[in-house]
mmCIF file with all atom_site columns, all heavy atoms in Angstrom:
data_model
loop_
_atom_site.group_PDB
_atom_site.id
_atom_site.type_symbol
_atom_site.label_atom_id
_atom_site.label_alt_id
_atom_site.label_comp_id
_atom_site.label_asym_id
_atom_site.label_entity_id
_atom_site.label_seq_id
_atom_site.pdbx_PDB_ins_code
_atom_site.Cartn_x
_atom_site.Cartn_y
_atom_site.Cartn_z
_atom_site.occupancy
_atom_site.B_iso_or_equiv
_atom_site.pdbx_formal_charge
_atom_site.auth_seq_id
_atom_site.auth_comp_id
_atom_site.auth_asym_id
_atom_site.auth_atom_id
_atom_site.pdbx_PDB_model_num
ATOM 1   N N   . LEU A 1 283 ? 13.429 92.398 131.354 1.00 0.00 ? 303 LEU A N   1
ATOM 2   C CA  . LEU A 1 283 ? 13.759 92.291 132.749 1.00 0.00 ? 303 LEU A CA  1
ATOM 3   C C   . LEU A 1 283 ? 13.694 90.923 133.273 1.00 0.00 ? 303 LEU A C   1
ATOM 4   O O   . LEU A 1 283 ? 12.806 90.093 132.930 1.00 0.00 ? 303 LEU A O   1
ATOM 5   C CB  . LEU A 1 283 ? 12.837 93.187 133.576 1.00 0.00 ? 303 LEU A CB  1
ATOM 6   C CG  . LEU A 1 283 ? 13.019 94.681 133.390 1.00 0.00 ? 303 LEU A CG  1
ATOM 7   C CD1 . LEU A 1 283 ? 11.921 95.459 134.170 1.00 0.00 ? 303 LEU A CD1 1
ATOM 8   C CD2 . LEU A 1 283 ? 14.396 95.129 133.775 1.00 0.00 ? 303 LEU A CD2 1
ATOM 9   N N   . SER A 1 284 ? 14.667 90.569 134.184 1.00 0.00 ? 304 SER A N   1
ATOM 10  C CA  . SER A 1 284 ? 14.711 89.268 134.796 1.00 0.00 ? 304 SER A CA  1
ATOM 11  C C   . SER A 1 284 ? 14.496 89.539 136.224 1.00 0.00 ? 304 SER A C   1
ATOM 12  O O   . SER A 1 284 ? 15.220 90.205 136.996 1.00 0.00 ? 304 SER A O   1
ATOM 13  C CB  . SER A 1 284 ? 16.101 88.643 134.625 1.00 0.00 ? 304 SER A CB  1
ATOM 14  O OG  . SER A 1 284 ? 16.149 87.302 135.197 1.00 0.00 ? 304 SER A OG  1
ATOM 15  N N   . LEU A 1 285 ? 13.385 88.941 136.832 1.00 0.00 ? 305 LEU A N   1
ATOM 16  C CA  . LEU A 1 285 ? 12.929 89.340 138.178 1.00 0.00 ? 305 LEU A CA  1
ATOM 17  C C   . LEU A 1 285 ? 13.210 88.180 139.210 1.00 0.00 ? 305 LEU A C   1
ATOM 18  O O   . LEU A 1 285 ? 12.999 86.990 138.854 1.00 0.00 ? 305 LEU A O   1
ATOM 19  C CB  . LEU A 1 285 ? 11.404 89.584 138.144 1.00 0.00 ? 305 LEU A CB  1
ATOM 20  C CG  . LEU A 1 285 ? 10.715 89.729 139.443 1.00 0.00 ? 305 LEU A CG  1
ATOM 21  C CD1 . LEU A 1 285 ? 10.963 91.090 140.095 1.00 0.00 ? 305 LEU A CD1 1
ATOM 22  C CD2 . LEU A 1 285 ? 9.212  89.516 139.369 1.00 0.00 ? 305 LEU A CD2 1
ATOM 23  N N   . TYR A 1 286 ? 13.678 88.580 140.352 1.00 0.00 ? 306 TYR A N   1
ATOM 24  C CA  . TYR A 1 286 ? 13.782 87.614 141.481 1.00 0.00 ? 306 TYR A CA  1
ATOM 25  C C   . TYR A 1 286 ? 12.907 88.153 142.566 1.00 0.00 ? 306 TYR A C   1
ATOM 26  O O   . TYR A 1 286 ? 12.953 89.370 142.874 1.00 0.00 ? 306 TYR A O   1
ATOM 27  C CB  . TYR A 1 286 ? 15.228 87.518 142.016 1.00 0.00 ? 306 TYR A CB  1
ATOM 28  C CG  . TYR A 1 286 ? 15.239 86.698 143.343 1.00 0.00 ? 306 TYR A CG  1
ATOM 29  C CD1 . TYR A 1 286 ? 15.240 85.271 143.224 1.00 0.00 ? 306 TYR A CD1 1
ATOM 30  C CD2 . TYR A 1 286 ? 15.261 87.284 144.541 1.00 0.00 ? 306 TYR A CD2 1
ATOM 31  C CE1 . TYR A 1 286 ? 15.226 84.550 144.372 1.00 0.00 ? 306 TYR A CE1 1
ATOM 32  C CE2 . TYR A 1 286 ? 15.290 86.609 145.730 1.00 0.00 ? 306 TYR A CE2 1
ATOM 33  C CZ  . TYR A 1 286 ? 15.253 85.159 145.610 1.00 0.00 ? 306 TYR A CZ  1
ATOM 34  O OH  . TYR A 1 286 ? 15.205 84.436 146.772 1.00 0.00 ? 306 TYR A OH  1
ATOM 35  N N   . SER A 1 287 ? 12.011 87.315 143.105 1.00 0.00 ? 307 SER A N   1
ATOM 36  C CA  . SER A 1 287 ? 11.140 87.704 144.178 1.00 0.00 ? 307 SER A CA  1
ATOM 37  C C   . SER A 1 287 ? 11.094 86.549 145.257 1.00 0.00 ? 307 SER A C   1
ATOM 38  O O   . SER A 1 287 ? 11.207 85.372 144.852 1.00 0.00 ? 307 SER A O   1
ATOM 39  C CB  . SER A 1 287 ? 9.726  87.988 143.685 1.00 0.00 ? 307 SER A CB  1
ATOM 40  O OG  . SER A 1 287 ? 8.874  88.392 144.734 1.00 0.00 ? 307 SER A OG  1
ATOM 41  N N   . CYS A 1 288 ? 10.833 86.886 146.447 1.00 0.00 ? 308 CYS A N   1
ATOM 42  C CA  . CYS A 1 288 ? 10.786 85.833 147.474 1.00 0.00 ? 308 CYS A CA  1
ATOM 43  C C   . CYS A 1 288 ? 9.948  86.330 148.612 1.00 0.00 ? 308 CYS A C   1
ATOM 44  O O   . CYS A 1 288 ? 9.774  87.522 148.932 1.00 0.00 ? 308 CYS A O   1
ATOM 45  C CB  . CYS A 1 288 ? 12.131 85.485 147.959 1.00 0.00 ? 308 CYS A CB  1
ATOM 46  S SG  . CYS A 1 288 ? 13.073 86.858 148.787 1.00 0.00 ? 308 CYS A SG  1
ATOM 47  N N   . ALA A 1 289 ? 9.352  85.351 149.346 1.00 0.00 ? 309 ALA A N   1
ATOM 48  C CA  . ALA A 1 289 ? 8.707  85.612 150.664 1.00 0.00 ? 309 ALA A CA  1
ATOM 49  C C   . ALA A 1 289 ? 9.750  85.577 151.740 1.00 0.00 ? 309 ALA A C   1
ATOM 50  O O   . ALA A 1 289 ? 10.541 84.715 151.761 1.00 0.00 ? 309 ALA A O   1
ATOM 51  C CB  . ALA A 1 289 ? 7.626  84.547 150.899 1.00 0.00 ? 309 ALA A CB  1
ATOM 52  N N   . VAL A 1 290 ? 9.705  86.719 152.564 1.00 0.00 ? 310 VAL A N   1
ATOM 53  C CA  . VAL A 1 290 ? 10.676 86.795 153.599 1.00 0.00 ? 310 VAL A CA  1
ATOM 54  C C   . VAL A 1 290 ? 10.010 86.851 154.986 1.00 0.00 ? 310 VAL A C   1
ATOM 55  O O   . VAL A 1 290 ? 9.005  87.482 155.170 1.00 0.00 ? 310 VAL A O   1
ATOM 56  C CB  . VAL A 1 290 ? 11.512 88.104 153.403 1.00 0.00 ? 310 VAL A CB  1
ATOM 57  C CG1 . VAL A 1 290 ? 12.567 88.183 154.500 1.00 0.00 ? 310 VAL A CG1 1
ATOM 58  C CG2 . VAL A 1 290 ? 12.094 88.154 152.087 1.00 0.00 ? 310 VAL A CG2 1
ATOM 59  N N   . ASN A 1 291 ? 10.490 86.101 155.950 1.00 0.00 ? 311 ASN A N   1
ATOM 60  C CA  . ASN A 1 291 ? 10.002 86.064 157.269 1.00 0.00 ? 311 ASN A CA  1
ATOM 61  C C   . ASN A 1 291 ? 11.180 86.465 158.234 1.00 0.00 ? 311 ASN A C   1
ATOM 62  O O   . ASN A 1 291 ? 11.986 85.616 158.606 1.00 0.00 ? 311 ASN A O   1
ATOM 63  C CB  . ASN A 1 291 ? 9.470  84.641 157.631 1.00 0.00 ? 311 ASN A CB  1
ATOM 64  C CG  . ASN A 1 291 ? 8.898  84.584 159.003 1.00 0.00 ? 311 ASN A CG  1
ATOM 65  O OD1 . ASN A 1 291 ? 9.074  85.482 159.819 1.00 0.00 ? 311 ASN A OD1 1
ATOM 66  N ND2 . ASN A 1 291 ? 8.147  83.569 159.303 1.00 0.00 ? 311 ASN A ND2 1
ATOM 67  N N   . PRO A 1 292 ? 11.187 87.751 158.605 1.00 0.00 ? 312 PRO A N   1
ATOM 68  C CA  . PRO A 1 292 ? 12.385 88.215 159.397 1.00 0.00 ? 312 PRO A CA  1
ATOM 69  C C   . PRO A 1 292 ? 12.206 88.149 160.845 1.00 0.00 ? 312 PRO A C   1
ATOM 70  O O   . PRO A 1 292 ? 12.809 88.931 161.675 1.00 0.00 ? 312 PRO A O   1
ATOM 71  C CB  . PRO A 1 292 ? 12.451 89.691 158.922 1.00 0.00 ? 312 PRO A CB  1
ATOM 72  C CG  . PRO A 1 292 ? 11.022 90.037 158.739 1.00 0.00 ? 312 PRO A CG  1
ATOM 73  C CD  . PRO A 1 292 ? 10.287 88.795 158.235 1.00 0.00 ? 312 PRO A CD  1
ATOM 74  N N   . ARG A 1 293 ? 11.346 87.218 161.356 1.00 0.00 ? 313 ARG A N   1
ATOM 75  C CA  . ARG A 1 293 ? 10.986 87.273 162.846 1.00 0.00 ? 313 ARG A CA  1
ATOM 76  C C   . ARG A 1 293 ? 12.202 87.041 163.633 1.00 0.00 ? 313 ARG A C   1
ATOM 77  O O   . ARG A 1 293 ? 12.276 87.531 164.782 1.00 0.00 ? 313 ARG A O   1
ATOM 78  C CB  . ARG A 1 293 ? 9.850  86.305 163.111 1.00 0.00 ? 313 ARG A CB  1
ATOM 79  C CG  . ARG A 1 293 ? 10.197 84.817 162.795 1.00 0.00 ? 313 ARG A CG  1
ATOM 80  C CD  . ARG A 1 293 ? 8.921  84.032 163.102 1.00 0.00 ? 313 ARG A CD  1
ATOM 81  N NE  . ARG A 1 293 ? 9.093  82.615 162.737 1.00 0.00 ? 313 ARG A NE  1
ATOM 82  C CZ  . ARG A 1 293 ? 8.214  81.703 162.783 1.00 0.00 ? 313 ARG A CZ  1
ATOM 83  N NH1 . ARG A 1 293 ? 7.020  82.085 163.190 1.00 0.00 ? 313 ARG A NH1 1
ATOM 84  N NH2 . ARG A 1 293 ? 8.520  80.534 162.402 1.00 0.00 ? 313 ARG A NH2 1
ATOM 85  N N   . ALA A 1 294 ? 13.148 86.249 163.237 1.00 0.00 ? 314 ALA A N   1
ATOM 86  C CA  . ALA A 1 294 ? 14.368 85.956 164.029 1.00 0.00 ? 314 ALA A CA  1
ATOM 87  C C   . ALA A 1 294 ? 15.096 87.268 164.264 1.00 0.00 ? 314 ALA A C   1
ATOM 88  O O   . ALA A 1 294 ? 15.497 87.537 165.360 1.00 0.00 ? 314 ALA A O   1
ATOM 89  C CB  . ALA A 1 294 ? 15.182 84.892 163.408 1.00 0.00 ? 314 ALA A CB  1
ATOM 90  N N   . ARG A 1 295 ? 15.226 88.030 163.134 1.00 0.00 ? 315 ARG A N   1
ATOM 91  C CA  . ARG A 1 295 ? 15.938 89.331 163.297 1.00 0.00 ? 315 ARG A CA  1
ATOM 92  C C   . ARG A 1 295 ? 15.200 90.340 164.143 1.00 0.00 ? 315 ARG A C   1
ATOM 93  O O   . ARG A 1 295 ? 15.786 91.185 164.813 1.00 0.00 ? 315 ARG A O   1
ATOM 94  C CB  . ARG A 1 295 ? 16.164 89.909 161.891 1.00 0.00 ? 315 ARG A CB  1
ATOM 95  C CG  . ARG A 1 295 ? 17.362 89.391 161.178 1.00 0.00 ? 315 ARG A CG  1
ATOM 96  C CD  . ARG A 1 295 ? 17.503 90.090 159.856 1.00 0.00 ? 315 ARG A CD  1
ATOM 97  N NE  . ARG A 1 295 ? 16.779 89.386 158.778 1.00 0.00 ? 315 ARG A NE  1
ATOM 98  C CZ  . ARG A 1 295 ? 16.176 90.033 157.774 1.00 0.00 ? 315 ARG A CZ  1
ATOM 99  N NH1 . ARG A 1 295 ? 16.211 91.313 157.733 1.00 0.00 ? 315 ARG A NH1 1
ATOM 100 N NH2 . ARG A 1 295 ? 15.637 89.377 156.836 1.00 0.00 ? 315 ARG A NH2 1
ATOM 101 N N   . MET A 1 296 ? 13.864 90.165 164.199 1.00 0.00 ? 316 MET A N   1
ATOM 102 C CA  . MET A 1 296 ? 13.019 91.122 164.915 1.00 0.00 ? 316 MET A CA  1
ATOM 103 C C   . MET A 1 296 ? 12.728 90.684 166.365 1.00 0.00 ? 316 MET A C   1
ATOM 104 O O   . MET A 1 296 ? 12.107 91.369 167.120 1.00 0.00 ? 316 MET A O   1
ATOM 105 C CB  . MET A 1 296 ? 11.662 91.319 164.195 1.00 0.00 ? 316 MET A CB  1
ATOM 106 C CG  . MET A 1 296 ? 11.883 92.067 162.859 1.00 0.00 ? 316 MET A CG  1
ATOM 107 S SD  . MET A 1 296 ? 10.421 91.899 161.796 1.00 0.00 ? 316 MET A SD  1
ATOM 108 C CE  . MET A 1 296 ? 9.110  91.998 162.996 1.00 0.00 ? 316 MET A CE  1
#
Side-chain angles (χ1 to χ4, degrees):
L303 290 176
S304 184
L305 171 76
Y306 173 80
S307 180
C308 62
V310 183
N311 183 345
R313 62 183 175 185
R315 275 183 270 146
M316 291 165 38

